[in-house]
Amino acid sequence: MTFQFRCPNSCLLEGEPEQAGQTINCPMCNVLFRIPEPVGAPAAQDAQPTQPAQPTQPTEQAASQPVPEAEPRLLHIPCPNGHELETPEEMLGQEVMCPHCNTQFQLRESDSVEYKRKRDIERERRERKVGNAWFNWAIVCAVLVIIGLIFLIISASGG
Ligand SMILES: [Zn+2]
Ligand SMILES: [Zn+2]
């Protein structure tokens, strides 16, 4: 898509948008000048599609949805020595022996990687909510302070 521009001697020329900023000799009068940026043309020079907002990730929804019962859910639970074992959900609460270090320990859901990840997500969500509340309070306080200042100024100038 070409755009039109003029050299310093008013010769009407055409160029590609990517030529903007280049220094050329005018083909008509041979004057050396810099091609201006295309003005007024629809912003076609940067082909980046405008993204209005980031698509909301469905992770929160997925976390709250129950896992289909058809296939057994696998949890990853580390033994006391840190060997991560893949454990079907129905094994929870049972005493097992780590095949790596022969340590006997109880399988607890609260020790599983999945549980901790879920807890982290929930904590993050809560912290974000608390952060928003603080932000809202900060705005309310700022507005109150400004109103107070205006009131003070008005009463000072009035009396
Ligand atoms: Zn010219
Ligand atoms: Zn182990």
Side-chain angles (χ1 to χ4, degrees):
M1 190 171 155
T2 58
F3 72 104
Q4 292 190 329
F5 57 94
R6 286 178 189 276
C7 88
N9 293 329
S10 303
C11 311
L12 189 60
L13 304 171
E14 266 192 0
E16 300 287 332
E18 51 263 33
Q19 287 180 299
Q22 289 179 11
T23 308
I24 59 157
N25 285 95
C26 172
M28 319 273 267
C29 64
N30 215 29
V31 71
L32 190 71
F33 74 105
R34 197 171 152 276
I35 300 178
E37 301 287 331
V39 190
Q45 66 262 37
D46 57 344
Q48 276 190 338
T50 47
Q51 285 183 330
Q54 284 205 329
T56 46
Q57 289 184 335
T59 46
E60 290 189 12
Q61 213 180 357
S64 61
Q65 270 179 354
V67 178
E69 287 178 54
E71 48 186 304
R73 197 157 62 108
L74 281 179
L75 298 171
H76 294 81
I77 300 177
C79 84
N81 292 323
H83 303 113
E84 205 171 273
L85 306 178
E86 205 169 73
T87 318
E89 200 177 10
E90 58 262 28
M91 293 270 288
L92 286 174
Q94 293 181 25
E95 290 274 334
V96 292
M97 197 179 273
C98 172
H100 301 285
C101 60
N102 286 340
T103 306
Q104 208 173 2
F105 69 105
Q106 198 186 8
L107 292 172
R108 275 186 300 241
E109 192 187 7
S110 55
D111 290 336
S112 70
V113 175
E114 283 77 7
Y115 182 86
K116 282 175 182 161
R117 195 180 302 153
K118 200 165 75 179
R119 204 179 48 190
D120 281 352
I121 290 172
E122 271 167 18
R123 191 176 53 200
E124 201 177 289
R125 206 186 307 166
R126 236 188 342 255
E127 277 170 5
R128 209 181 306 153
K129 227 178 269 175
V130 171
N132 282 345
W134 273 112
F135 186 65
N136 289 341
W137 267 113
I139 289 175
V140 169
C141 289
V143 168
L144 285 178
V145 165
I146 290 169
I147 290 174
L149 278 176
I150 291 172
F151 186 75
L152 272 179
I153 290 168
I154 289 173
S155 59
S157 63

